[in-house]
Amino acid sequence: MSSFLGHWRITETELWGREALDLLAPAFVRFEDDRMGAFQFIAVRGGLDCRFSERDGVPMVEFSWEGDDEGDARCGRGWAFLRDGRLEGRFYIHGGDDSWFVATRAVGSRR
């Protein structure tokens, strides 16, 4: 779990370019000590409920989330692997889009 903790900058996705990702604020995902976290990209933001594990020796996190998209309630799920210092995973919006994403650890964020 500790290798995920901290603030990660979402740098690319399959569906949205940089301008869209950073529409309201710089896109990010954050993991906290209490298995919770937060994220924001485009106009979607929310809180995470995380489960940390390994698959084939690779650290991973699976999460569900609740939040909003331009003020409308939304929820979903997702997962990510930690590979070569990058976070690679997928966000799912319940009843909506899903996209892979890549994130890098934010400068000054804990390890």
Side-chain angles (χ1 to χ4, degrees), residues 59-104:
M60 76 169 297
V61 60
E62 296 177 277
F63 53 85
S64 59
W65 65 268
E66 287 185 308
D68 69 86
D69 182 2
E70 295 184 34
D72 294 326
R74 294 286 184 257
C75 64
R77 63 186 177 87
W79 53 266
F81 287 97
L82 190 55
R83 292 189 185 150
D84 300 323
R86 293 179 1 150
L87 199 60
E88 301 175 15
R90 190 161 205 93
F91 267 100
Y92 296 87
I93 300 171
H94 184 76
D97 291 327
D98 66 272
S99 178
W100 60 260
F101 71 95
V102 173
T104 57

Side-chain angles (χ1 to χ4, degrees), residues 2-84:
S2 64
S3 56
F4 286 92
L5 296 181
H7 198 87
W8 296 80
R9 178 80 162 97
I10 299 174
T11 58
E12 58 184 295
T13 69
E14 131 187 57
L15 292 183
W16 306 288
R18 168 66 41 218
E19 188 173 315
L21 275 175
D22 296 340
L23 182 66
L24 299 179
F28 76 90
V29 59
R30 182 179 64 245
F31 301 103
E32 300 166 357
D33 294 359
D34 57 0
R35 295 189 330 182
M36 303 302 277
F39 74 93
Q40 181 167 340
F41 60 88
I42 52 177
V44 182
R45 64 183 175 185
L48 303 175
D49 180 1
C50 305
R51 300 297 181 269
F52 299 94
S53 63
E54 284 189 7
R55 186 167 295 161
D56 297 326
V58 178
M60 76 169 297
V61 60
E62 296 177 277
F63 53 85
S64 59
W65 65 268
E66 287 185 308
D68 69 86
D69 182 2
E70 295 184 34
D72 294 326
R74 294 286 184 257
C75 64
R77 63 186 177 87
W79 53 266
F81 287 97
L82 190 55
R83 292 189 185 150
D84 300 323

